[in-house]
Amino acid sequence: MGKGIKSNVTYWGRFVLIVFITVKSLGKKNTVLDKKEWQLSGVPESLRSLLVDVVTTNVRQFNDREAGVTLVPYLTQGEIDVQSRTGKVGFGAIYNEQKANLEEAVKTAISAYEDGLYKVFINGVEIELLDEPLVVQERDDIALIRFTMLAGRLW
């Protein structure tokens, strides 16, 4: 396969690619799929580089979150409705101010993929090999399907 198509969108002089990412955990009762518009920092050349890009953005967002506490926290009815559809209603309070380690997060994501804990699909096609050339285009649908481990005995 060839390389992906570069986007016309630039961000601080670099090309970015807008895709849609859906994350689903099999085995959960909640069937709400959250499809989010996502900005990749460039055109990934392989599944490994796609995962590194997504994890890097997640770690940056996690580490940049505010630990501020409002005097009187409240939720609007709209926020309650949206959060109740995902199965958890909360104020978004941050209790652990520890920062995520990017290197460890990337290593964990790659290891989890290699161990089969989740699958990646682009426009409905499963991507199986981490280092094979990958084509990702503007507005592609990327799905991350996380498998849930079952607890209990097998008898």
Side-chain angles (χ1 to χ4, degrees):
M1 293 186 159
K3 292 185 180 178
I5 297 172
K6 287 190 176 177
S7 166
N8 293 330
V9 179
T10 58
Y11 181 70
W12 293 354
R14 292 178 23 183
F15 283 103
V16 295
L17 193 64
I18 305 293
V19 296
F20 296 97
I21 295 184
T22 303
V23 177
K24 173 67 177 151
S25 182
L26 294 180
K28 290 202 173 204
K29 294 178 185 176
N30 182 5
T31 59
V32 175
L33 297 179
D34 196 11
K35 184 176 181 178
K36 294 184 179 182
E37 186 175 285
W38 194 267
Q39 245 185 28
L40 297 175
S41 64
V43 180
E45 296 181 0
S46 66
L47 177 57
R48 183 182 305 273
S49 63
L50 173 66
L51 294 175
V52 168
D53 190 309
V54 171
V55 169
T56 300
T57 300
N58 271 303
V59 167
R60 183 177 35 80
Q61 290 173 348
F62 179 83
N63 287 341
D64 290 347
R65 74 197 194 286
E66 294 276 332
V69 178
T70 57
L71 186 59
V72 180
Y74 69 93
L75 294 173
T76 66
Q77 187 60 45
E79 292 170 324
I80 292 171
D81 293 342
V82 168
Q83 290 184 25
S84 66
R85 279 185 257 142
T86 62
K88 180 181 178 187
V89 178
F91 293 105
I94 299 169
Y95 300 106
N96 180 359
E97 295 182 21
Q98 183 176 355
K99 302 291 184 187
N101 180 306
L102 177 59
E103 187 176 314
E104 285 181 31
V106 168
K107 182 178 173 184
T108 300
I110 298 298
S111 177
Y113 183 81
E114 291 173 332
D115 292 343
L117 297 179
Y118 67 97
K119 299 285 184 185
V120 178
F121 295 84
I122 298 178
N123 297 324
V125 177
E126 182 180 356
I127 308 303
E128 297 181 19
L129 301 174
L130 277 170
D131 296 310
E132 193 163 288
L134 183 67
V135 175
V136 178
Q137 298 181 25
E138 188 81 15
R139 308 195 71 71
D140 274 353
D141 286 315
I142 299 172
L144 304 171
I145 309 295
R146 182 176 54 209
F147 298 105
T148 302
M149 297 294 126
L150 299 176
R153 297 182 184 194
L154 296 173
W155 50 311

